[in-house]
Amino acid sequence: MLLNTLRQRFWPIRGRDLVRKVVDKCLICFSCKPKSIQQLMGSLPAARVTPSRAFLKSGVDYCGPFYVRPPSRRGNSMKIFVAIFVCMASKAVHIEMVYSLTSGSFLSALKRFVARRGRVTDVYCDNARTFVGANRQLQEHKQLFDELHRSEDLTNKCTKVGINFHFNPARSPHFGGLWEAAVKTFKHHLYRIMKDTLLTIEEFNTLITQIEGIMNSRPLTPLSSDPADVVALTPGHLLVGEPLFQIPEPDLCETPINRLTSFQKMQQKIQHFWKVWSSAYVGQLQDRQKWPMAHPDIKIGTLVLLKNESTPPMKWNLGRIESAFPGRDGRTRVIQVRTANGSYRRAITEVCPLPIDDVIEANRSTSATSSILIDQNQT
């Protein structure tokens, strides 16, 4: 329409390219349809590719709410949530019921998780208020404990047992794809089994525990390339040495003891599982299914629009990038944006840089050319 309007009075050379360039640099048109930026998908964190005890480094996320009945089957239905802990190395899952979104309720679930799965050194999660509040409470408890016990040996031991929280940027679920996929798989099984049935708390707890066993029996990679070998490596192999749900084996009670496997062979078998995990499974994780191309890093001081799904693009807040947080590969995927309402940490996919820098550079080049022509005319 703009090109046709111009052609009523003028016939610009390469008018289509000229109109496209002007429209792309128009701030009003850009605000109506902003374009976010991308970067090459980052490398896997060390916790994903380093063999370690199951659940030593875990990710966690909530899903729900779900409605259940009291054990007596009387009274109104109650609302509960589900916390899913995912092992960063083996993809094994641990599911806990949570009765509220408070930090205290999450801490109780975390204590149950540690009591059944062992000590956890690192917890990866989004920056929901529940997790941030739990991290704050743990830090306060540790500080009070250090103030009461000034012994250096005791303090060092407690520091080693501490849990480190790693938070993702706000509104960036793709930073936690591991536990987001676990939540999706959990809901896939839950909705197909539960359907519209209103279960009691005991029935619901039994159901989610069975789903946990199913998820821990998922195949990760074949144990060998032999076509006759139908056994696949599962998270259950790395937990208990075999899938949690497997085909029943024959009774070995009548088998002579000299034909049974020993404890050392069992340990060797578990080490073989980790060897297959390192050689076959980790290699599959290196493929970048999304964002395969590298792009120039966004510069500090760039004017951007801050995405907000609850408002139209024309009303998005305007901000300026005040700092960047490069990853281990040196590429920036998280930035700090200063707006009129405060400072926010966001992923680069949540901001849309305004095409104003190119306009400034074009004006500068035009001004430089004009000054050169003026000097030549004066000469």
Side-chain angles (χ1 to χ4, degrees):
M1 184 181 66
L2 178 59
L3 181 61
N4 291 334
T5 304
L6 287 174
R7 284 178 174 175
Q8 293 178 5
R9 296 185 58 187
F10 309 98
W11 191 268
I13 306 300
R14 300 182 61 183
R16 188 179 299 276
D17 295 338
L18 179 62
V19 168
R20 185 182 297 110
K21 183 177 180 181
V22 171
V23 172
D24 289 343
K25 304 305 178 184
C26 176
L27 298 183
I28 298 178
C29 297
F30 179 84
S31 300
C32 293
K33 194 176 181 180
K35 297 179 181 178
S36 59
I37 55 180
Q38 295 181 357
Q39 186 52 274
L40 175 70
M41 179 178 287
S43 302
L44 292 172
R48 293 290 308 278
V49 295
T50 303
S52 62
R53 179 180 59 78
F55 296 107
L56 188 65
K57 302 180 189 307
S58 304
V60 62
D61 197 7
Y62 273 19
C63 62
F66 305 103
Y67 292 90
V68 297
R69 289 185 294 180
S72 61
R73 297 180 179 269
R74 297 178 180 177
N76 298 328
S77 61
M78 56 185 302
K79 181 169 61 175
I80 62 173
F81 300 86
V82 171
I84 299 182
F85 296 87
V86 186
C87 175
M88 298 291 288
S90 63
K91 276 190 175 181
V93 300
H94 177 91
I95 302 177
E96 287 284 347
M97 274 199 317
V98 184
Y99 295 93
S100 66
L101 293 178
T102 61
S103 301
S105 183
F106 171 71
L107 285 176
S108 299
L110 183 62
K111 291 177 182 178
R112 296 194 299 268
F113 168 64
V114 172
R116 294 162 58 185
R117 296 297 185 179
R119 183 175 61 91
V120 181
T121 59
D122 297 87
V123 174
Y124 297 81
C125 56
D126 54 27
N127 63 349
R129 293 183 179 180
T130 301
F131 303 137
V132 175
N135 179 48
R136 187 182 300 111
Q137 289 187 28
L138 288 175
Q139 295 295 334
E140 291 176 356
H141 293 337
K142 180 178 179 299
Q143 184 177 0
L144 292 175
F145 187 83
D146 293 340
E147 292 177 355
L148 293 175
H149 303 81
R150 294 296 183 180
S151 174
E152 294 183 0
D153 295 337
L154 187 60
T155 302
N156 293 334
K157 290 181 181 179
C158 294
T159 303
K160 294 179 181 178
V161 182
I163 299 177
N164 298 320
F165 276 78
H166 305 269
F167 298 104
N168 293 336
R171 303 175 182 270
S172 306
H174 61 278
F175 274 74
L178 183 64
W179 46 88
E180 296 290 347
V183 169
K184 179 181 177 181
T185 305
F186 171 78
K187 290 182 177 179
H188 173 86
H189 293 288
L190 181 68
Y191 292 146
R192 280 159 179 75
I193 299 174
M194 190 175 177
K195 297 182 180 178
D196 297 332
T197 306
L198 189 61
L199 304 177
T200 63
I201 296 179
E202 183 178 1
E203 293 171 343
F204 186 80
N205 192 20
T206 303
L207 177 59
I208 65 175
T209 305
Q210 290 179 326
I211 294 176
E212 174 187 316
I214 294 174
M215 296 177 66
N216 286 333
S217 300
R218 296 171 298 165
L220 298 178
T221 185
L223 280 176
S224 67
S225 58
D226 186 2
D229 187 5
V230 295
V231 180
L233 178 66
T234 67
H237 284 89
L238 305 175
L239 291 175
V240 297
E242 62 183 14
L244 300 183
F245 287 136
Q246 63 175 1
I247 300 175
E249 297 181 353
D251 187 9
L252 300 176
C253 296
E254 303 300 330
T255 306
I257 192 172
N258 57 355
R259 297 181 57 185
L260 296 177
T261 57
S262 61
F263 177 77
Q264 289 78 10
K265 290 185 179 180
M266 187 62 188
Q267 291 297 108
Q268 184 182 10
K269 187 177 181 181
I270 294 177
Q271 293 176 2
H272 172 68
F273 294 152
W274 278 110
K275 184 177 181 181
V276 174
W277 177 87
S278 301
S279 60
Y281 172 66
V282 175
Q284 300 175 2
L285 301 178
Q286 304 300 326
D287 296 336
R288 290 180 169 88
Q289 303 296 335
K290 194 176 183 181
W291 304 312
M293 302 295 295
H295 300 274
D297 290 332
I298 189 169
K299 299 179 181 179
I300 297 176
T302 304
L303 285 174
V304 296
L305 291 177
L306 208 60
K307 282 187 175 182
N308 189 354
E309 298 179 355
S310 60
T311 59
M314 290 293 292
K315 295 185 178 180
W316 287 356
N317 291 331
L318 183 66
R320 187 179 296 274
I321 298 177
E322 60 179 2
S323 59
F325 305 94
R328 294 185 177 180
D329 56 355
R331 301 188 183 277
T332 300
R333 299 179 182 87
V334 182
I335 55 177
Q336 191 80 14
V337 183
R338 170 70 65 179
T339 65
N341 299 325
S343 182
Y344 305 94
R345 182 172 297 188
R346 292 288 187 269
I348 59 174
T349 55
E350 295 299 310
V351 298
C352 304
L354 295 175
I356 194 171
D357 295 336
D358 297 336
V359 176
I360 294 175
E361 293 295 334
N363 293 335
R364 288 179 179 176
S365 59
T366 303
S367 301
T369 305
S370 302
S371 61
I372 294 174
L373 292 176
I374 292 174
D375 293 340
Q376 291 178 351
N377 294 333
Q378 291 177 354
T379 303

